[in-house]
Amino acid sequence: MQKRHHEGKTKRTRFHAMVSGVMAAALLLVGQFASAHENGHGSHDAQGVIELSGVMARATKPGMSTSAAYMVIRNASDEAVTIESVDSPVAKKTELHTTTKKDGMMKMQRVDNLEILPGQEVQLKPGGYHVMLMGLKNPITNGSEVPVTVTFSNGEKQTVKAHAMENIKGQHMAHH
């Protein structure tokens, strides 16, 4: 009988040791995730760090093969981020552009990346930085939604829906 009592005690001791080990491992993992999240290295740390708002796209007129998308991008993180790429399924080619004035002429040129400093807000708007949608697969109709994906240097990738409008304040270059 004593042997049986001893075996029961040994099984309980092993069970308690196993539960304690599992609990310790779980606490360690939770602590590491919380620490990584606080230090900006967690898997969900990018969400909400970059805010995209006021997203709109220019509706096209018959025969137009290009359009543009505009938005406000706010870097709410404490580190600079760079827009590394832009993409949209409505166009064969999507690029980040800026508009410059040279010799009295407005000229657009591709921008390979755009740095946004901590706390900074950058406006993609007519006459400045904007997303060029080239080789449109279909016309962009007034009131439709245009998906635009922006990829940042911190690994964050956001897809937003740009509301298509015929008249956008500051939009005077109808043929990009």
Side-chain angles (χ1 to χ4, degrees):
M1 187 133 188
Q2 267 190 343
K3 185 178 180 188
R4 205 171 176 178
H5 177 71
H6 181 69
E7 285 177 1
K9 205 173 188 178
T10 304
K11 283 182 182 178
R12 269 188 265 136
T13 304
R14 276 194 233 143
F15 175 75
H16 287 298
M18 183 181 75
V19 169
S20 296
V22 169
M23 292 297 289
L27 288 172
L28 183 63
L29 285 173
V30 168
Q32 284 179 338
F33 175 78
S35 174
H37 189 69
E38 288 171 9
N39 293 325
H41 299 294
S43 60
H44 298 289
D45 63 326
Q47 298 303 325
V49 173
I50 308 298
E51 301 164 3
L52 280 60
S53 62
V55 187
M56 61 186 102
R58 186 184 70 227
T60 57
K61 299 192 183 322
M64 291 177 68
S65 62
T66 62
S67 184
Y70 311 102
M71 64 190 78
V72 176
I73 303 173
R74 183 173 185 282
N75 179 0
S77 76
D78 57 358
E79 293 183 21
V81 294
T82 302
I83 298 173
E84 292 191 332
S85 67
V86 289
D87 189 43
S88 179
V90 304
K92 292 177 185 165
K93 193 173 187 180
T94 308
E95 295 179 348
L96 184 62
H97 279 205
T98 190
T99 307
T100 58
K101 192 172 188 175
K102 186 175 181 181
D103 299 326
M105 299 286 291
M106 297 301 279
K107 181 183 174 193
M108 279 183 298
Q109 65 186 80
R110 180 181 168 175
V111 176
D112 289 325
N113 50 50
L114 175 61
E115 184 178 54
I116 306 171
L117 299 175
Q120 184 182 24
E121 188 174 276
V122 173
Q123 291 190 15
L124 276 56
K125 62 184 181 179
Y129 290 109
H130 56 278
V131 176
M132 273 306 293
L133 305 168
M134 299 173 286
L136 294 175
K137 297 174 183 175
N138 293 298
I140 297 175
T141 57
N142 191 41
S144 64
E145 291 188 334
V146 178
V148 177
T149 301
V150 183
T151 304
F152 298 93
S153 58
N154 67 352
E156 185 171 349
K157 186 182 239 186
Q158 285 195 36
T159 299
V160 291
K161 293 192 189 257
H163 180 73
M165 301 169 62
E166 288 177 356
N167 298 311
I168 295 175
K169 186 178 180 182
Q171 180 70 54
H172 52 79
M173 296 175 67
H175 56 272
H176 260 42

